[in-house]
Amino acid sequence: MSEEHSEGGPATTLAAVERPTESSQQLEGVSDDPAATPVTLEKLLDYLLASKRSLAATDQVWRANNIVHSAREALVESVELRARSTFIRDGIAGQLKILWRVKTGVENIAWNCRAEFEATLRDLDDTDARLQATVDLLKSTFVEPSLRPAHDEPELQTPQQQRQQKTLHDYIDGDGVETLKSGLRDCIDRTQEAHHDLVNSMERFEQDLETVKRSLAVTFTKFGESDGLEVSLPAIMRSLETQAEEMAGLLESLVRHFDLCVTALKHTEGGGAAAENITGDLPMVIRARHDDGEGGGGGGGENTPVEPISDGDRHEMLAVLTKDAAELDDVVMEIRDRLVEMEAQSDDLTCQLNLQAAVHANASRAFNQLEETGARLSAYVQHGRDYSNRWGEQRQQICNRTEELDVLREFYENFLAAYDRMLLEIGRRKEMRAAADTAVRKATTKLKKLYEADLAAREAFRRDQGYFLPTGIWSGLMDPPVRFEIAAVHADGDTIPDIPRAVLEQAARRQNRRL
């Protein structure tokens, strides 16, 4: 007989007994079917032996019970592992956010310092460009040959050649500029080295964070983190419990069928002793049930008398027994099939438990990686501080040397301006010398004329009056007039070079542009 079950599908149940409506059937167990054969003692013994063999399914039911018990433990362990893994994941995710913000803060400080460094370099480049332009002017401004004495020239070249090659740049000390630039290069190199160390530190910091991030991503994707897993474990557990209940029900049917076989033999002449011999080595649980009278044979052990039944009841019992015996193999097969299905579900449960264990192990590994990153966090932050402090020191030195370069540039520009003013001063002195020479020539001519007029007048006086005047009356009567001469004082120490007029005009134009 079969009965529909909601969870486990169709289940053959030998416990259900359909009682015939007519009591006129044969006591030998013949049913309404005219083709049915009487149930003999040998047939009943075959039924009992087959039923006894079917009771080996008890081990399968015990196995199913153990599977359910293990599945409950696995489910509890899985829930615990999942809770721990989720807690670790959420904690790591929160810590990662904080660490990313710390990294961003250090990088912001570094990039601010870098922006200041680049702005300082631009100012330095501008200052250096202006200085270089001034130096180029010094190199392109040749000193007029007439300004330099001939003994200042090397013997290997003529004085004329050397005069043409001398420039204003030859009169400055270039070592000062190179010393400043060398110091600036050292400052820049130290700053670049500190920045390189910080970049490497931030790259290692980012690699640490990415390693933890990838570990989390792998943990909760590759190893089965999904919504389906949340549903599958309880579903598998419910299925296993249902299967175990169905198997227990089927085993109960087999036990009732066995009891019915024993009862039928006890109510058959010569079958009681055979029944006792066959049931002697039953499994302990079935034996206890049988001895306690839980079966269908009226209860009692070997010495318990069998309660008599009517021919109609015996006929009905044999009909049910015959029908159940035909379904016995199906019930045993169904128990076996359900156990196979439970084993497969248990393997699935074990597999998912292993996945949860792998998730937890990888989450723990990610947590360990996070701890290692946290141990190095102070070093990463310190690298940012070191770079900021070192840049502050180098920035001051760069600014100081930049100012010194600008002072040198101003000095060189003043040198250029002074040279042009010197040329103009030479022109002015040349003009003044020319004016003085003109004034001297005019004065000399006038003095000469005055002298000659005075001399002529004295001579005329001596001719007209000298005959009448005695010699001793005035001793200076015959003296000549005083001759006046104009002479240059320190003429040898006031040399004025001969500067071409075109050179003087160029100097005047440059000076006007400066104004």
Side-chain angles (χ1 to χ4, degrees):
M1 289 180 287
S2 59
E3 182 178 341
E4 295 294 332
H5 297 271
S6 60
E7 294 288 345
T12 303
T13 150
L14 301 176
V17 178
E18 295 182 358
R19 298 190 177 273
T21 57
E22 298 182 2
S23 60
S24 59
Q25 296 176 335
Q26 299 291 332
L27 293 178
E28 293 79 8
V30 180
S31 65
D32 293 336
D33 187 0
T37 58
V39 180
T40 63
L41 178 60
E42 290 77 9
K43 192 67 172 179
L44 289 176
L45 290 173
D46 291 341
Y47 287 166
L48 181 60
L49 290 174
S51 178
K52 181 181 178 180
R53 289 192 298 270
S54 70
L55 293 181
T58 303
D59 295 336
Q60 297 172 344
V61 175
W62 274 110
R63 171 60 184 155
N65 182 66
N66 291 334
I67 289 176
V68 172
H69 180 72
S70 300
R72 287 196 184 100
E73 293 180 348
L75 181 60
V76 172
E77 183 178 359
S78 175
V79 171
E80 292 178 354
L81 288 175
R82 179 177 178 80
R84 293 175 183 174
S85 301
T86 302
F87 177 78
I88 294 175
R89 177 192 61 186
D90 295 342
I92 292 176
Q95 292 297 315
L96 277 179
K97 291 180 180 178
I98 296 175
L99 290 176
W100 279 113
R101 287 196 291 268
V102 171
K103 177 179 177 294
T104 301
V106 175
E107 287 179 338
N108 287 339
I109 295 174
W111 287 120
N112 289 337
C113 293
R114 189 65 180 179
E116 293 178 356
F117 172 69
E118 293 176 352
T120 303
L121 285 187
R122 286 193 294 271
D123 294 340
L124 174 60
D125 290 340
D126 293 341
T127 301
D128 182 65
R130 292 193 297 269
L131 174 62
Q132 190 60 43
T134 304
V135 170
D136 291 340
L137 285 176
L138 292 175
K139 291 180 178 180
S140 62
T141 303
F142 293 96
V143 178
E144 284 300 315
S146 59
L147 295 174
R148 300 170 56 222
H151 61 76
D152 193 36
E153 313 299 334
E155 297 179 356
L156 297 179
Q157 291 181 324
T158 64
Q160 184 65 26
Q161 291 173 331
Q162 275 297 314
R163 291 190 194 99
Q164 293 176 354
Q165 293 180 358
K166 203 76 170 180
T167 65
L168 294 182
H169 185 264
D170 296 326
Y171 291 90
I172 66 173
D173 183 12
D175 293 339
V177 176
E178 290 302 321
T179 300
L180 284 175
K181 288 186 176 181
S182 177
L184 286 168
R185 283 191 292 267
D186 291 340
C187 292
I188 292 172
D189 290 341
R190 286 192 291 269
T191 304
Q192 294 284 43
E193 181 181 355
H195 181 262
H196 181 71
D197 292 341
L198 179 62
V199 169
N200 290 338
S201 176
M202 289 299 97
E203 288 178 353
R204 290 192 297 271
F205 194 4
E206 184 172 358
Q207 289 173 359
D208 288 344
L209 297 181
E210 289 293 340
T211 298
V212 177
K213 181 180 178 181
R214 285 194 300 269
S215 296
L216 280 183
V218 171
T219 296
F220 292 95
T221 55
K222 181 179 179 181
F223 291 101
E225 173 72 357
S226 63
D227 294 337
L229 181 60
E230 299 175 359
V231 178
S232 62
L233 293 180
I236 291 175
M237 190 65 238
R238 287 194 297 270
S239 176
L240 288 175
E241 291 174 344
T242 301
Q243 295 280 24
E245 291 173 359
E246 293 292 343
M247 290 176 65
L250 293 174
L251 179 62
E252 183 70 20
S253 298
L254 293 176
V255 172
R256 284 197 295 268
H257 176 65
F258 178 80
D259 292 340
L260 191 60
C261 290
V262 172
T263 301
L265 279 172
K266 287 183 178 182
H267 287 84
T268 302
E269 184 178 356
E276 292 298 334
N277 291 333
I278 294 174
T279 59
D281 57 350
L282 286 174
M284 187 60 67
V285 176
I286 305 300
R287 181 73 177 178
R289 171 189 168 92
H290 180 70
D291 291 342
D292 291 341
E294 294 182 8
E302 296 181 4
N303 299 324
T304 303
V306 179
E307 296 181 1
I309 61 175
S310 64
D311 291 342
D313 290 340
R314 184 175 181 277
H315 181 274
E316 181 180 354
M317 178 179 63
L318 293 177
V320 172
L321 184 63
T322 300
K323 182 178 180 182
D324 289 349
E327 299 174 352
L328 184 66
D329 292 340
D330 293 338
V331 174
V332 173
M333 183 61 68
E334 183 175 351
I335 291 176
R336 186 180 298 112
D337 292 343
R338 287 181 180 274
L339 181 61
V340 170
E341 185 176 353
M342 289 182 69
E343 293 282 3
Q345 290 177 331
S346 177
D347 292 340
D348 291 341
L349 188 63
T350 302
C351 179
Q352 295 197 20
L353 177 61
N354 292 336
L355 289 177
Q356 284 289 358
V359 168
H360 182 265
N362 280 273
S364 300
R365 187 178 301 111
F367 180 77
N368 293 334
Q369 293 170 346
L370 181 66
E371 282 190 324
E372 295 173 359
T373 301
R376 292 188 289 268
L377 178 61
S378 58
Y380 295 142
V381 174
Q382 187 60 42
H383 285 155
R385 293 196 188 101
D386 291 343
Y387 174 67
S388 180
N389 295 335
R390 187 177 299 182
W391 161 238
E393 297 172 357
Q394 302 306 317
R395 179 187 182 186
Q396 187 61 43
Q397 296 184 27
I398 291 175
C399 290
N400 291 339
R401 286 180 168 84
T402 301
E403 291 178 0
E404 292 179 17
L405 287 178
D406 200 49
V407 169
L408 276 178
R409 177 191 60 80
E410 292 180 357
F411 177 78
Y412 293 159
E413 288 182 350
N414 290 332
F415 178 33
L416 282 167
Y419 176 73
D420 287 337
R421 294 190 185 100
M422 183 187 71
L423 294 178
L424 296 177
E425 175 65 15
I426 291 173
R428 185 194 67 79
R429 291 186 182 186
K430 187 176 181 180
E431 291 177 355
M432 294 304 295
R433 175 69 64 83
D437 290 343
T438 301
V440 168
R441 285 194 302 270
K442 290 181 179 180
T444 301
T445 301
K446 188 173 183 179
L447 288 174
K448 183 179 179 180
K449 289 180 178 180
L450 291 174
Y451 175 77
E452 292 176 350
D454 187 17
L455 182 62
R458 289 186 183 200
E459 186 63 29
F461 177 78
R462 282 194 302 269
R463 284 195 309 265
D464 293 340
Q465 304 298 329
Y467 179 76
F468 302 105
L469 294 174
T471 304
I473 196 169
W474 179 28
S475 59
L477 181 63
M478 301 303 292
D479 292 340
V482 178
R483 183 185 294 271
F484 291 92
E485 293 181 355
I486 300 176
V489 181
H490 304 301
D492 296 336
D494 187 19
T495 58
I496 300 177
D498 185 14
I499 305 299
R501 186 174 185 82
V503 174
L504 295 176
E505 291 176 352
Q506 291 175 358
R509 286 195 294 269
R510 288 194 297 267
Q511 185 63 21
N512 290 333
R513 285 197 296 268
R514 293 188 186 97
L515 298 176

